[in-house]
Amino acid sequence: MELIRNRFKAAVKEGRPQIGLWNSIAGTAVTDIIAGGGFDWVLIDTEHAVIEPGEVQVALQILNGYPEVAALVRPLSNDAPLIKRHLDMGAQTLLVPFVQTGAEAEAAALACAYPPAGIRGVAGMTRASRYGRITDYARRANEEICLLVQVETASALDHLDEIALTPGVDGVFIGPSDLAASLGHPGNPGHAEVQEAIDHTLDRLKTLGVPSGILALDPEKARAYLERGVGFVAVGLDLLMVAQAVDRLRSAFPR
Ligand SMILES: O=C(O)C(=O)C[C@H](O)[C@@H](O)CO
């Protein structure tokens, strides 16, 4: 078998905007449903979700059935053993949360790469190499791994350049909810101070030539981000979409 190409990584590097959805609901049905929605990527979230690491492989296998959709995985934390497990399961793109310094970005990059570039442990019998059938996986895997790091605190913004320019970092994702809280506006990512910080960060990333990403649940705002060149934009969250659909249907039957 040939090494599997990471088309999401290629698209982001080439500046082709990628629109995605958040998958926080464990199990197979929802992943299957949203995978068929025609979006460019689906993020399997294990940070703010009850999806356990072992369930990530099932989600990856489901998404494998939709070759036009890229699977992204968010580990619970910037933890080398967790990153190793997700990569061994076959994840090729990771969104590592809560990165605040260049050193933390470097730690994530090292965890994503086999030696000598990094510290990722080598095992030949994993799904990542399709159980050894991708014969040059160990030698070439790093080429197709995409590391996205999240900046979502005031401190991270103070270290943006060192984070964004860390070798091995392929993109920087802004976490509006955590950033809002960090700036003193919990639950209010729309606050002027938060929006200003986001705008400045996106402009800086553009100046640095580093692909940017963000979560924007308002379609108009999401379109605006795409138009200004944000590379990967999450436009929906499965948990929220289900709750809103339930509430909308209920409201159609006033007591
Ligand atoms: O801080 C944020 O915003 C994110 O990182 C995205 C959230 O974690 C996501 O779960 C939506 O709330």
PDB file of all heavy atoms in Angstrom, residues 22 24 45 47-48 74 150 152 173-179 215 217 237, ligand 1:
ATOM      1  N   TRP A  22     -17.550  20.002  14.018  1.00  0.00           N
ATOM      2  CA  TRP A  22     -17.056  19.395  15.253  1.00  0.00           C
ATOM      3  C   TRP A  22     -17.856  18.139  15.563  1.00  0.00           C
ATOM      4  O   TRP A  22     -19.088  18.182  15.543  1.00  0.00           O
ATOM      5  CB  TRP A  22     -17.258  20.369  16.403  1.00  0.00           C
ATOM      6  CG  TRP A  22     -16.098  20.653  17.276  1.00  0.00           C
ATOM      7  CD1 TRP A  22     -15.896  20.141  18.544  1.00  0.00           C
ATOM      8  CD2 TRP A  22     -14.976  21.497  17.032  1.00  0.00           C
ATOM      9  NE1 TRP A  22     -14.742  20.635  19.085  1.00  0.00           N
ATOM     10  CE2 TRP A  22     -14.148  21.464  18.179  1.00  0.00           C
ATOM     11  CE3 TRP A  22     -14.604  22.287  15.951  1.00  0.00           C
ATOM     12  CZ2 TRP A  22     -12.965  22.190  18.277  1.00  0.00           C
ATOM     13  CZ3 TRP A  22     -13.425  23.012  16.033  1.00  0.00           C
ATOM     14  CH2 TRP A  22     -12.621  22.951  17.186  1.00  0.00           C
ATOM     15  N   SER A  24     -18.521  15.875  18.569  1.00  0.00           N
ATOM     16  CA  SER A  24     -18.301  15.668  20.009  1.00  0.00           C
ATOM     17  C   SER A  24     -19.136  14.520  20.552  1.00  0.00           C
ATOM     18  O   SER A  24     -18.973  14.129  21.705  1.00  0.00           O
ATOM     19  CB  SER A  24     -18.680  16.945  20.778  1.00  0.00           C
ATOM     20  OG  SER A  24     -17.961  18.047  20.287  1.00  0.00           O
ATOM     21  N   ASP A  45     -13.477  15.225  18.561  1.00  0.00           N
ATOM     22  CA  ASP A  45     -13.019  15.942  19.739  1.00  0.00           C
ATOM     23  C   ASP A  45     -12.949  15.031  20.960  1.00  0.00           C
ATOM     24  O   ASP A  45     -13.918  14.362  21.315  1.00  0.00           O
ATOM     25  CB  ASP A  45     -13.974  17.108  20.038  1.00  0.00           C
ATOM     26  CG  ASP A  45     -13.417  18.022  21.124  1.00  0.00           C
ATOM     27  OD1 ASP A  45     -12.214  17.912  21.447  1.00  0.00           O
ATOM     28  OD2 ASP A  45     -14.186  18.848  21.651  1.00  0.00           O
ATOM     29  N   GLU A  47     -11.359  16.454  23.740  1.00  0.00           N
ATOM     30  CA  GLU A  47     -11.095  17.385  24.842  1.00  0.00           C
ATOM     31  C   GLU A  47     -12.381  17.741  25.557  1.00  0.00           C
ATOM     32  O   GLU A  47     -12.540  17.484  26.737  1.00  0.00           O
ATOM     33  CB  GLU A  47     -10.402  18.663  24.345  1.00  0.00           C
ATOM     34  CG  GLU A  47     -10.015  19.573  25.516  1.00  0.00           C
ATOM     35  CD  GLU A  47      -9.658  21.005  25.146  1.00  0.00           C
ATOM     36  OE1 GLU A  47      -9.829  21.389  23.972  1.00  0.00           O
ATOM     37  OE2 GLU A  47      -9.217  21.738  26.050  1.00  0.00           O
ATOM     38  N   HIS A  48     -13.308  18.376  24.815  1.00  0.00           N
ATOM     39  CA  HIS A  48     -14.587  18.754  25.432  1.00  0.00           C
ATOM     40  C   HIS A  48     -15.668  17.789  24.960  1.00  0.00           C
ATOM     41  O   HIS A  48     -16.664  18.201  24.363  1.00  0.00           O
ATOM     42  CB  HIS A  48     -14.951  20.184  25.026  1.00  0.00           C
ATOM     43  CG  HIS A  48     -14.129  21.218  25.713  1.00  0.00           C
ATOM     44  ND1 HIS A  48     -14.194  21.457  27.065  1.00  0.00           N
ATOM     45  CD2 HIS A  48     -13.208  22.076  25.233  1.00  0.00           C
ATOM     46  CE1 HIS A  48     -13.348  22.434  27.385  1.00  0.00           C
ATOM     47  NE2 HIS A  48     -12.741  22.827  26.300  1.00  0.00           N
ATOM     48  N   ARG A  74      -8.690  15.963  17.964  1.00  0.00           N
ATOM     49  CA  ARG A  74      -8.180  16.812  19.037  1.00  0.00           C
ATOM     50  C   ARG A  74      -7.928  15.948  20.260  1.00  0.00           C
ATOM     51  O   ARG A  74      -8.874  15.409  20.843  1.00  0.00           O
ATOM     52  CB  ARG A  74      -9.156  17.937  19.383  1.00  0.00           C
ATOM     53  CG  ARG A  74      -8.607  18.835  20.489  1.00  0.00           C
ATOM     54  CD  ARG A  74      -9.306  20.174  20.570  1.00  0.00           C
ATOM     55  NE  ARG A  74     -10.642  20.105  21.122  1.00  0.00           N
ATOM     56  CZ  ARG A  74     -11.345  21.192  21.471  1.00  0.00           C
ATOM     57  NH1 ARG A  74     -10.814  22.403  21.319  1.00  0.00           N
ATOM     58  NH2 ARG A  74     -12.572  21.081  21.959  1.00  0.00           N
ATOM     59  N   GLN A 150      -3.653  25.080  19.012  1.00  0.00           N
ATOM     60  CA  GLN A 150      -4.658  26.077  19.405  1.00  0.00           C
ATOM     61  C   GLN A 150      -4.052  27.146  20.280  1.00  0.00           C
ATOM     62  O   GLN A 150      -3.365  26.832  21.270  1.00  0.00           O
ATOM     63  CB  GLN A 150      -5.801  25.403  20.193  1.00  0.00           C
ATOM     64  CG  GLN A 150      -6.707  24.563  19.355  1.00  0.00           C
ATOM     65  CD  GLN A 150      -8.014  24.251  20.063  1.00  0.00           C
ATOM     66  OE1 GLN A 150      -8.403  23.102  20.226  1.00  0.00           O
ATOM     67  NE2 GLN A 150      -8.714  25.293  20.488  1.00  0.00           N
ATOM     68  N   GLU A 152      -5.421  30.050  22.594  1.00  0.00           N
ATOM     69  CA  GLU A 152      -6.730  30.355  23.194  1.00  0.00           C
ATOM     70  C   GLU A 152      -6.610  31.007  24.562  1.00  0.00           C
ATOM     71  O   GLU A 152      -7.509  30.895  25.391  1.00  0.00           O
ATOM     72  CB  GLU A 152      -7.582  29.093  23.267  1.00  0.00           C
ATOM     73  CG  GLU A 152      -6.896  27.846  23.719  1.00  0.00           C
ATOM     74  CD  GLU A 152      -7.740  26.608  23.457  1.00  0.00           C
ATOM     75  OE1 GLU A 152      -8.949  26.730  23.226  1.00  0.00           O
ATOM     76  OE2 GLU A 152      -7.193  25.489  23.497  1.00  0.00           O
ATOM     77  N   PHE A 173      -4.908  27.481  15.225  1.00  0.00           N
ATOM     78  CA  PHE A 173      -6.366  27.582  15.378  1.00  0.00           C
ATOM     79  C   PHE A 173      -6.663  28.439  16.603  1.00  0.00           C
ATOM     80  O   PHE A 173      -6.113  28.220  17.683  1.00  0.00           O
ATOM     81  CB  PHE A 173      -6.960  26.182  15.566  1.00  0.00           C
ATOM     82  CG  PHE A 173      -8.458  26.146  15.718  1.00  0.00           C
ATOM     83  CD1 PHE A 173      -9.284  25.981  14.616  1.00  0.00           C
ATOM     84  CD2 PHE A 173      -9.056  26.276  16.974  1.00  0.00           C
ATOM     85  CE1 PHE A 173     -10.670  25.922  14.748  1.00  0.00           C
ATOM     86  CE2 PHE A 173     -10.443  26.232  17.118  1.00  0.00           C
ATOM     87  CZ  PHE A 173     -11.245  26.057  15.998  1.00  0.00           C
ATOM     88  N   ILE A 174      -7.540  29.418  16.425  1.00  0.00           N
ATOM     89  CA  ILE A 174      -7.932  30.281  17.543  1.00  0.00           C
ATOM     90  C   ILE A 174      -9.165  29.686  18.217  1.00  0.00           C
ATOM     91  O   ILE A 174     -10.159  29.397  17.532  1.00  0.00           O
ATOM     92  CB  ILE A 174      -8.249  31.707  17.060  1.00  0.00           C
ATOM     93  CG1 ILE A 174      -7.020  32.338  16.399  1.00  0.00           C
ATOM     94  CG2 ILE A 174      -8.734  32.564  18.226  1.00  0.00           C
ATOM     95  CD1 ILE A 174      -7.321  33.658  15.700  1.00  0.00           C
ATOM     96  N   GLY A 175      -9.092  29.506  19.524  1.00  0.00           N
ATOM     97  CA  GLY A 175     -10.233  28.999  20.289  1.00  0.00           C
ATOM     98  C   GLY A 175     -10.981  30.170  20.913  1.00  0.00           C
ATOM     99  O   GLY A 175     -10.558  30.701  21.951  1.00  0.00           O
ATOM    100  N   PRO A 176     -12.096  30.571  20.302  1.00  0.00           N
ATOM    101  CA  PRO A 176     -12.760  31.798  20.762  1.00  0.00           C
ATOM    102  C   PRO A 176     -13.295  31.710  22.198  1.00  0.00           C
ATOM    103  O   PRO A 176     -13.227  32.682  22.953  1.00  0.00           O
ATOM    104  CB  PRO A 176     -13.908  31.985  19.769  1.00  0.00           C
ATOM    105  CG  PRO A 176     -13.550  31.159  18.584  1.00  0.00           C
ATOM    106  CD  PRO A 176     -12.764  30.017  19.111  1.00  0.00           C
ATOM    107  N   SER A 177     -13.823  30.533  22.581  1.00  0.00           N
ATOM    108  CA  SER A 177     -14.434  30.423  23.917  1.00  0.00           C
ATOM    109  C   SER A 177     -13.390  30.582  25.015  1.00  0.00           C
ATOM    110  O   SER A 177     -13.552  31.367  25.949  1.00  0.00           O
ATOM    111  CB  SER A 177     -15.139  29.066  24.062  1.00  0.00           C
ATOM    112  OG  SER A 177     -16.088  28.893  23.039  1.00  0.00           O
ATOM    113  N   ASP A 178     -12.311  29.837  24.884  1.00  0.00           N
ATOM    114  CA  ASP A 178     -11.269  29.932  25.923  1.00  0.00           C
ATOM    115  C   ASP A 178     -10.582  31.288  25.874  1.00  0.00           C
ATOM    116  O   ASP A 178     -10.238  31.857  26.918  1.00  0.00           O
ATOM    117  CB  ASP A 178     -10.240  28.808  25.740  1.00  0.00           C
ATOM    118  CG  ASP A 178     -10.714  27.505  26.369  1.00  0.00           C
ATOM    119  OD1 ASP A 178     -11.235  27.549  27.506  1.00  0.00           O
ATOM    120  OD2 ASP A 178     -10.577  26.446  25.732  1.00  0.00           O
ATOM    121  N   LEU A 179     -10.412  31.816  24.673  1.00  0.00           N
ATOM    122  CA  LEU A 179      -9.771  33.130  24.580  1.00  0.00           C
ATOM    123  C   LEU A 179     -10.626  34.187  25.265  1.00  0.00           C
ATOM    124  O   LEU A 179     -10.130  35.033  26.016  1.00  0.00           O
ATOM    125  CB  LEU A 179      -9.535  33.510  23.116  1.00  0.00           C
ATOM    126  CG  LEU A 179      -8.842  34.856  22.888  1.00  0.00           C
ATOM    127  CD1 LEU A 179      -7.470  34.885  23.565  1.00  0.00           C
ATOM    128  CD2 LEU A 179      -8.703  35.144  21.393  1.00  0.00           C
ATOM    129  N   LEU A 215     -13.186  28.714  14.977  1.00  0.00           N
ATOM    130  CA  LEU A 215     -14.551  28.200  15.084  1.00  0.00           C
ATOM    131  C   LEU A 215     -15.495  29.385  14.988  1.00  0.00           C
ATOM    132  O   LEU A 215     -15.315  30.377  15.717  1.00  0.00           O
ATOM    133  CB  LEU A 215     -14.740  27.489  16.425  1.00  0.00           C
ATOM    134  CG  LEU A 215     -16.163  27.144  16.832  1.00  0.00           C
ATOM    135  CD1 LEU A 215     -16.724  26.030  15.955  1.00  0.00           C
ATOM    136  CD2 LEU A 215     -16.199  26.726  18.299  1.00  0.00           C
ATOM    137  N   LEU A 217     -19.669  29.879  14.650  1.00  0.00           N
ATOM    138  CA  LEU A 217     -20.981  29.230  14.537  1.00  0.00           C
ATOM    139  C   LEU A 217     -21.994  30.119  13.831  1.00  0.00           C
ATOM    140  O   LEU A 217     -23.082  29.661  13.472  1.00  0.00           O
ATOM    141  CB  LEU A 217     -21.474  28.839  15.935  1.00  0.00           C
ATOM    142  CG  LEU A 217     -20.564  27.847  16.677  1.00  0.00           C
ATOM    143  CD1 LEU A 217     -21.083  27.577  18.074  1.00  0.00           C
ATOM    144  CD2 LEU A 217     -20.399  26.556  15.884  1.00  0.00           C
ATOM    145  N   LEU A 237     -21.196  22.513  15.472  1.00  0.00           N
ATOM    146  CA  LEU A 237     -20.883  21.557  16.548  1.00  0.00           C
ATOM    147  C   LEU A 237     -22.043  20.587  16.635  1.00  0.00           C
ATOM    148  O   LEU A 237     -23.199  21.032  16.804  1.00  0.00           O
ATOM    149  CB  LEU A 237     -20.777  22.283  17.879  1.00  0.00           C
ATOM    150  CG  LEU A 237     -19.612  23.201  18.149  1.00  0.00           C
ATOM    151  CD1 LEU A 237     -19.888  24.030  19.389  1.00  0.00           C
ATOM    152  CD2 LEU A 237     -18.351  22.401  18.337  1.00  0.00           C
TER     153      LEU A 237
HETATM  154  O1  LIG B   1     -11.939  27.759  22.891  1.00  0.00           O
HETATM  155  C1  LIG B   1     -12.670  27.368  21.965  1.00  0.00           C
HETATM  156  O2  LIG B   1     -13.622  28.005  21.471  1.00  0.00           O
HETATM  157  C2  LIG B   1     -12.369  26.045  21.378  1.00  0.00           C
HETATM  158  O3  LIG B   1     -11.279  25.532  21.549  1.00  0.00           O
HETATM  159  C3  LIG B   1     -13.498  25.317  20.739  1.00  0.00           C
HETATM  160  C4  LIG B   1     -14.283  24.648  21.839  1.00  0.00           C
HETATM  161  O4  LIG B   1     -13.454  23.799  22.590  1.00  0.00           O
HETATM  162  C5  LIG B   1     -15.401  23.837  21.240  1.00  0.00           C
HETATM  163  O5  LIG B   1     -15.655  22.728  22.030  1.00  0.00           O
HETATM  164  C6  LIG B   1     -16.636  24.659  21.121  1.00  0.00           C
HETATM  165  O6  LIG B   1     -16.969  25.189  22.374  1.00  0.00           O
END
